[in-house]
Amino acid sequence: MTEKTESTMWGGRFSEPTDAFVERFTASIQFDKRLFHHDINGSIAHATMLNQAGVLSDQELNDIKIGLEEIRQDAINGNIEWSIALEDIHMNIEKRLTDKIGVTGKKLHTGRSRNDQVATDIRLYLRDEIDIIAAELSRLQLAVIGQAEKNNAAIMPGFTHLQTAQPVTFGHHMLAWNEMLERDFSRLADCRARMNQSPLGAAALAGTTYPINRELTAELLGFDKPTENSLDSVSDRDFAIEFNAFASILLMHLSRFSEELILWTSAQFNFIDLPDRFCTGSSIMPQKKNPDVPELVRGKSGRVFGNLMSLLVLMKSQPLAYNKDNQEDKEPLFDSIDTVKDCVKAFADMIPAIDIKAESMYEAAKRGFSTATDLADYLVTKGMPFRDAHEVVGESVAYGIKTEKDLSEMSLEELQQFSDIIKDDVFEVLTLEGSVSARSHIGGTAPAQVLQAVERAKAELLKR
Ligand code: ARG
């Protein structure tokens, strides 16, 4: 036996009420209630436009506005019990408005459909969230650039294959992260620019017979312009996919950043110290201080990638125009928004608080023969072909491994066993400082270059 309940908005055509399970199954109020502000803003713009078009009187517009603002306050104060029977945020608010102001409330939906309404609401909501995320991303970039400036000359091993490769400066390493975040920011800005068009007026799918003014509602809601095609307007969710693509790439970057912080805090690396407030202990091992915050950010990348996949599959093969499938856009989108906001906040708070262990990083850079390439380059400047130089340095490194000496710790005589063109000016290039300072060009790791890159990065931030 199926349960029955009372349905309200489309009773006219139906001979029996909606099944109670179906009512719950098809409802979205459980999650779209967070759109209430934007739904109300959209309705006020729509009503204002209907008034100018002569569809609503001044009195009616006024009543609608007052009623909607009261509902907004009730929602803010948590005084609304959202109803599953009313399915979604749009019908919940409309019914409440009608309860408050009477028959005028029933006129609000003139020349509009929930299809263009929801398309408008999500864009308005996402636009606000994008602005919050953009500000947090800028705060994170400022923190990363700050670390680069503070530690522009601190030397650490640079890695390829996670094996010591060549020395780099910590500042340079930080600026690599800033570049990734800079591209993430520009992806976010692109997404915002592309989605900022008003679908309102597309109605169910074909537009409306009322003398509406789409430019006016677009302008009232801060959109750049009305969308061009009514069918596309109600069915397009590619802006949500684009946001999730941005979010996925950002979280992929943050997961790499996290991974390095996690490695660097380990006793084996011992490159940085994360403040206690970003870590937790172990319930059994008293010595533990676990880098939970970066670990969680690394882990949360998974759900965001999943949300991107959900939305792509949700939209794949859908015929035009609106389909109920589209209601499934919200949870993945909301989840990605929440996750991105938390992860960027966590990083923006944590990065400035990191203390680097400069000595320990320096020692590590000395351990892996990180200036071997510098020795080869030195031999080349003295006239030796690079392949031969590579061979000579390989032999020197083998000797260093046997005698447990870095190249810079060998005497001139020891080095000359491998080539007599080595003279005592070799030590300028074998030191870590010499190695990093020599890479002095745009994009290079020299401390002076890092400072110039810091200035350019700050200037970019100021343009926002
Ligand atoms: N709750 C719906 C959604 O999120 C609103 C649009 C409903 N439109 C419809 N024709 N059933 O997509």
Side-chain angles (χ1 to χ4, degrees):
M1 202 181 91
T2 53
E3 312 157 63
K4 299 282 158 63
T5 126
E6 206 54 51
S7 194
T8 36
M9 287 294 188
W10 47 68
R13 188 211 182 282
F14 286 76
S15 55
E16 60 174 357
T18 315
D19 177 87
F21 164 75
V22 172
E23 196 172 85
R24 183 179 60 72
F25 185 65
T26 54
S28 55
I29 186 65
Q30 307 91 314
F31 45 85
D32 67 16
K33 59 187 176 197
R34 71 159 85 184
L35 297 173
F36 77 86
H37 264 301
H38 303 89
D39 192 77
I40 288 170
N41 293 344
S43 287
I44 290 175
H46 180 65
T48 305
M49 183 278 292
L50 288 180
N51 168 248
Q52 292 206 6
V55 178
L56 290 178
S57 71
D58 290 352
Q59 183 61 51
E60 287 169 332
L61 170 61
N62 203 41
D63 290 349
I64 286 175
K65 277 193 190 162
I66 289 172
L68 287 173
E69 288 303 348
E70 276 178 30
I71 294 171
R72 192 199 302 274
Q73 277 316 316
D74 291 344
I76 290 171
N77 298 332
N79 290 339
I80 298 187
E81 271 215 26
W82 301 109
S83 151
I84 297 248
L86 292 168
E87 195 178 319
D88 58 24
I89 188 64
H90 324 295
M91 294 202 292
N92 265 271
I93 290 180
E94 189 186 324
K95 172 72 165 49
R96 215 177 161 84
L97 180 68
T98 304
D99 289 348
K100 268 186 196 292
I101 67 170
V103 69
T104 303
K106 295 185 181 177
K107 297 188 175 180
L108 172 62
H109 211 53
T110 312
R112 172 175 91 166
S113 153
R114 281 184 296 152
N115 296 353
D116 60 342
Q117 192 179 357
V118 71
T120 304
D121 290 4
I122 313 171
R123 285 167 193 251
L124 289 174
Y125 175 79
L126 179 57
R127 195 180 65 192
D128 279 353
E129 296 296 322
I130 284 176
D131 291 344
I132 295 170
I133 292 167
E136 281 293 271
L137 257 184
S138 299
R139 189 163 76 86
L140 169 56
Q141 285 187 259
L142 204 61
V144 170
I145 295 168
Q147 282 286 3
E149 187 168 25
K150 191 161 86 185
N151 300 299
N152 73 309
I155 292 176
M156 65 183 279
F159 300 93
T160 59
H161 314 267
L162 203 55
Q163 311 286 322
T164 300
Q166 294 173 348
V168 294
T169 49
F170 186 82
H172 192 53
H173 197 114
M174 283 295 108
L175 290 182
W177 288 117
N178 184 56
E179 286 304 301
M180 296 173 221
L181 297 173
E182 183 71 27
R183 290 193 295 275
D184 290 327
F185 186 93
S186 87
R187 267 183 282 273
L188 182 64
D190 281 354
C191 171
R192 188 194 196 282
R194 236 185 310 281
M195 64 165 261
N196 198 30
Q197 299 184 359
S198 175
L200 213 51
L205 76 166
T208 174
T209 55
Y210 296 94
I212 58 168
N213 180 348
R214 296 193 60 211
E215 279 82 8
L216 177 61
T217 41
E219 193 192 315
L220 289 172
L221 294 170
F223 287 116
D224 293 332
K225 59 180 184 132
T227 50
E228 277 295 329
N229 182 290
S230 64
L231 294 168
D232 175 54
S233 306
V234 293
S235 72
D236 160 46
R237 295 292 182 272
D238 58 27
F239 61 88
I241 296 177
E242 193 172 355
F243 174 81
N244 266 274
F246 146 79
S248 295
I249 297 174
L250 171 68
L251 264 289
M252 177 275 291
H253 284 152
L254 292 184
S255 78
R256 299 183 67 188
F257 205 159
S258 297
E259 174 72 5
E260 297 204 323
L261 297 181
I262 294 161
L263 286 172
W264 292 350
T265 54
S266 69
Q268 289 68 24
F269 272 82
N270 197 30
F271 285 3
I272 59 166
D273 199 29
L274 275 185
D276 288 357
R277 64 183 183 280
F278 295 105
C279 300
T280 62
S282 157
S283 56
I284 173 169
M285 297 167 284
Q287 85 284 10
K288 291 291 291 265
K289 174 171 155 184
N290 297 327
D292 289 39
V293 171
E295 285 177 281
L296 259 181
V297 171
R298 184 177 61 182
K300 281 181 188 291
S301 59
R303 63 198 292 161
V304 174
F305 301 169
N307 291 336
L308 172 62
M309 208 41 64
S310 295
L311 288 173
L312 282 169
V313 179
L314 170 68
M315 295 314 292
K316 179 186 175 299
S317 310
Q318 263 197 51
L320 290 175
Y322 177 87
N323 301 284
K324 184 74 169 179
D325 313 41
N326 284 12
Q327 181 164 291
E328 286 287 307
D329 63 351
K330 289 172 202 60
E331 286 165 294
L333 179 63
F334 294 165
D335 185 68
S336 287
I337 289 171
D338 295 345
T339 306
V340 164
K341 276 203 298 196
D342 282 353
C343 292
V344 177
K345 178 190 164 31
F347 260 69
D349 291 348
M350 184 173 64
I351 296 302
I354 288 176
D355 278 326
I356 71 159
K357 298 182 171 174
E359 257 171 54
S360 172
M361 289 193 319
Y362 190 88
E363 285 310 311
K366 265 174 50 183
R367 275 198 300 275
F369 299 98
S370 60
T371 55
T373 317
D374 298 81
L375 179 56
D377 290 343
Y378 169 88
L379 293 169
V380 169
T381 60
K382 299 274 173 179
M384 189 181 283
F386 183 77
R387 270 296 145 236
D388 295 339
H390 191 284
E391 180 70 20
V392 166
V393 179
E395 287 165 13
S396 321
V397 167
Y399 174 80
I401 292 171
K402 208 165 63 196
T403 55
E404 296 189 357
K405 281 183 189 174
D406 182 52
L407 296 172
S408 63
E409 291 163 349
M410 294 177 196
S411 67
L412 186 56
E413 292 67 35
E414 283 176 301
L415 287 166
Q416 282 174 338
Q417 308 170 70
F418 308 104
S419 167
D420 55 12
I421 63 171
I422 298 179
K423 303 288 179 240
D424 66 1
D425 59 348
V426 74
F427 294 106
E428 283 161 38
V429 305
L430 286 187
T431 62
L432 299 177
E433 289 78 3
S435 173
V436 294
S437 300
R439 287 163 170 79
S440 191
H441 48 75
I442 291 184
T445 195
Q449 288 295 333
V450 171
L451 288 184
Q452 287 179 29
V454 160
E455 289 316 313
R456 290 194 297 272
K458 281 185 183 168
E460 276 307 312
L461 276 190
L462 281 177
K463 286 188 202 156
R464 287 178 189 170

